[in-house]
Amino acid sequence: MSTVKVNVKWGKELFKDVEVNPNEPPSAFKATLFSLTNVPVDRQKVMLKGIIKDDDWGASKAALKDGVSMMLMGSADPIVAAAPKVVFAEDLPDDERDNALADLPPGLVNLENTCYFNATVQCLASVPELVEKLSTYNPAGSEPADTVNSALRNTIQTLRHTKAPVIPSVLLNSFRNIFPNFAERRNGVFAQQDAEEAWTQLLWCLKRLPKLSDKLAGDSAVDQLFQGFFETKYKCLESPDEPQDQKREEFTKLACHIRNETSFLAEGVKLSLNEEVEKVSPTLNRNAKYSKESRIAALPFYLTVQFVRFFFRSDIKAKVKIVKPMQYPFELDTYDFCSDELKKKLDPKRKELLEAREKDQLANFKASQNGENDTGIYELSAIVTHKGQSAEGGHYVAWVRDDNTKDGWLCFDDDRVTQVTSEDVAKLDGKGGAQWHMAYITLYRPKKTWTK
């Protein structure tokens, strides 16, 4: 039986089109209800054909159909919040009034230093192909990663079906069960964590999603959406006669190194593509220094770029943050990062684009949107920023392009969601200083619209 949509009556409230998967234990559905109502699972009484247990649908399973009504009984845990101050819309500044009157999506509640997690989830939830594949994913087994995927699916579905802030406790707990380092406490409270590490681990879990298409390379939806390949050449600097070693290496993000001489994303990425590394030399039988030259041999559909702002200083035994400003483009052309062979594949479509621009016929130009980027050109679609001087603290926020809003962007600051403009997003380059939001992870999608 596939996923069905049911209506849940709880007191005076009615939740419509709540998705439930009869192939999963009822506890997964109850976790969704917890996110909607804040009624703890152990306090829930869910009734259809009798009371539904946590581990067995019983006679209710046969009655699970689209549109069926279920009843939930149980008292919610109180959400302690300050009494709201009454402010009339006409008394607000223009930007605040627009946000107050706008129909904005909900945010995620911060559950004690979990802004890093909330920002990561909101950015990944902005990838429609990933969300669609996740919504139909019904894991057959009980692998730990699948508990995260199911909880992520339920959390995203809840975000789509409510206007109230969503409490991601089930998702967060399942994530910490697999990666206990994210449950570290300091002075009795959960410690701040690195959003990039959370991003990487969530993608690792999501690698269990099936392919988007058999026509695309990759073993999973994550591979087909986020994975690219380098053509990498290693040359031993200590043994010139040693043959050059060439490899094909996968990647899910590009690194943007930050140095005194870099001010732009492209400059930082080029530094990461030309490095000096140390590895075992087969001719010297010891570690030796190598030049490492990488060029992109296959582009991902969605391109992730991480600004390498955090690093460990051995002299003080602490993780520190580089606060140097780094500008990033809204339109990113990766052609100069590509191998000669890939450039030849991109050239025909890029020539077509150039001709369309010269003839003022961009409205007729169509780039591929079928899992490949045939121009090498991307547009900015989401950003995770970090605010603060300390790598062990600070605050993370998600900034997501939304083509349905007036200004085109949304800021997800935990459970506070506001409309922002592209001008606001451009100011996340670090020029505002360490105490302002500074781009840490940028997500680019294939460019959809073309202008001069």
Side-chain angles (χ1 to χ4, degrees):
M1 188 184 299
S2 59
T3 301
V4 298
K5 294 182 179 180
V6 302
N7 301 323
V8 180
K9 183 76 166 58
W10 177 55
K12 296 181 180 180
E13 296 193 53
L14 178 63
F15 298 95
K16 294 184 177 181
D17 297 331
V18 181
E19 294 197 6
V20 54
N21 183 356
N23 296 321
E24 294 181 343
S27 57
F29 175 59
K30 291 185 177 184
T32 301
L33 295 182
F34 172 63
S35 298
L36 287 170
T37 65
N38 208 34
V39 177
V41 172
D42 60 2
R43 205 182 296 163
Q44 293 181 17
K45 284 188 179 180
V46 183
M47 289 174 281
L48 182 53
K49 294 290 184 179
I51 297 177
I52 299 174
K53 299 179 180 179
D54 289 348
D55 59 352
D56 184 13
W57 290 103
S60 298
K61 186 171 185 177
L64 286 173
K65 299 178 181 178
D66 284 333
V68 72
S69 294
M70 306 176 71
M71 181 175 290
L72 168 65
M73 297 179 64
S75 58
D77 280 343
I79 299 178
V80 180
K85 180 181 179 182
V86 177
V87 179
F88 294 99
E90 56 266 28
D91 296 329
L92 293 170
D94 290 345
D95 57 342
E96 293 185 25
R97 182 171 61 250
D98 290 343
N99 282 317
L101 298 177
D103 185 19
L104 299 178
L108 293 167
V109 176
N110 191 316
L111 301 175
E112 198 171 81
N113 288 329
T114 57
C115 56
Y116 71 93
F117 192 75
N118 291 346
T120 299
V121 169
Q122 292 286 13
C123 283
L124 292 177
S126 72
V127 180
E129 299 88 348
L130 180 66
V131 172
E132 181 179 357
K133 197 65 179 179
L134 187 61
S135 69
T136 60
Y137 181 52
N138 298 315
S142 57
E143 291 292 326
D146 284 329
T147 64
V148 173
N149 294 336
S150 295
L152 179 59
R153 179 197 62 210
N154 294 341
T155 299
I156 293 175
Q157 289 174 348
T158 304
L159 287 169
R160 302 293 189 265
H161 288 91
T162 183
K163 294 299 181 184
V166 175
I167 304 172
S169 54
V170 175
L171 171 59
L172 188 62
N173 289 337
S174 62
F175 183 74
R176 285 171 171 165
N177 285 338
I178 303 180
F179 309 108
N181 55 301
F182 288 94
E184 177 190 358
R185 289 179 179 268
R186 294 176 192 156
N187 300 319
V189 299
F190 285 110
Q192 177 68 285
Q193 301 287 345
D194 190 325
E196 187 276 329
E197 293 176 7
W199 182 293
T200 299
Q201 302 296 21
L202 276 173
L203 285 187
W204 179 84
C205 293
L206 289 166
K207 272 181 169 284
R208 291 185 57 80
L209 296 185
K211 297 178 181 180
L212 296 173
S213 169
D214 289 332
K215 296 179 181 180
L216 300 174
D219 297 327
S220 70
V222 165
D223 291 342
Q224 294 178 338
L225 287 171
F226 298 101
Q227 182 176 272
F229 285 91
F230 286 131
E231 176 187 280
T232 304
K233 299 176 182 177
Y234 293 90
K235 180 64 179 176
C236 186
L237 301 176
E238 300 180 41
S239 179
D241 295 332
E242 182 178 306
Q244 181 175 267
D245 186 17
Q246 183 167 320
K247 296 181 178 180
R248 183 177 173 88
E249 300 177 333
E250 67 178 53
F251 69 91
T252 55
K253 64 177 180 293
L254 296 180
C256 176
H257 289 323
I258 303 173
R259 302 286 188 270
N260 289 333
E261 66 271 21
T262 59
S263 298
F264 299 91
L265 179 146
E267 296 172 342
V269 170
K270 286 180 181 179
L271 277 181
S272 73
L273 298 179
N274 298 275
E275 298 182 291
E276 187 176 296
V277 299
E278 188 174 289
K279 70 186 192 78
V280 175
S281 166
T283 56
L284 300 176
N285 293 318
R286 60 171 175 82
N287 282 347
K289 292 181 179 179
Y290 284 77
S291 64
K292 178 184 177 183
E293 179 185 288
S294 299
R295 295 294 180 268
I296 298 176
L299 287 164
F301 195 56
Y302 283 83
L303 178 66
T304 306
V305 181
Q306 178 203 356
F307 291 88
V308 187
R309 292 202 171 275
F310 301 134
F311 71 101
F312 186 80
R313 277 185 54 179
S314 56
D315 56 335
I316 61 174
K317 297 182 179 179
K319 198 175 182 182
V320 297
K321 180 181 178 181
I322 303 173
V323 296
K324 184 181 188 298
M326 290 289 291
Q327 296 184 50
Y328 47 86
F330 279 74
E331 179 179 298
L332 176 62
D333 190 346
T334 62
Y335 190 79
D336 289 342
F337 307 152
C338 297
S339 67
D340 291 340
E341 183 178 351
L342 180 55
K343 286 179 179 178
K344 290 178 182 179
K345 293 180 180 179
L346 297 175
D347 282 341
K349 202 67 177 181
R350 292 173 66 89
K351 182 179 179 182
E352 183 182 334
L353 172 60
L354 179 61
E355 292 175 350
R357 278 184 169 147
E358 291 175 345
K359 297 178 181 178
D360 197 20
Q361 296 178 347
L362 283 172
N364 299 325
F365 177 77
K366 300 294 181 184
S368 173
Q369 295 292 324
N370 297 318
E372 61 179 2
N373 188 324
D374 55 0
T375 65
I377 300 174
Y378 294 83
E379 62 185 4
L380 188 64
S381 63
I383 304 178
V384 174
T385 59
H386 181 265
K387 175 182 178 181
Q389 182 73 44
S390 171
E392 305 294 342
H395 184 59
Y396 290 96
V397 172
W399 310 71
V400 176
R401 184 188 291 269
D402 185 351
D403 299 325
N404 298 317
T405 62
K406 183 182 72 172
D407 292 318
W409 287 84
L410 294 172
C411 172
F412 292 90
D413 187 350
D414 288 326
D415 57 354
R416 183 173 184 267
V417 183
T418 55
Q419 289 179 326
V420 293
T421 65
S422 56
E423 288 77 13
D424 296 321
V425 174
K427 295 175 182 177
L428 307 175
D429 57 4
K431 291 181 180 178
Q435 296 308 315
W436 183 244
H437 307 282
M438 192 175 295
Y440 180 41
I441 301 171
T442 51
L443 181 64
Y444 286 87
R445 70 185 184 188
K447 189 167 176 61
K448 293 183 178 181
T449 57
W450 304 86
T451 61
K452 287 187 176 182

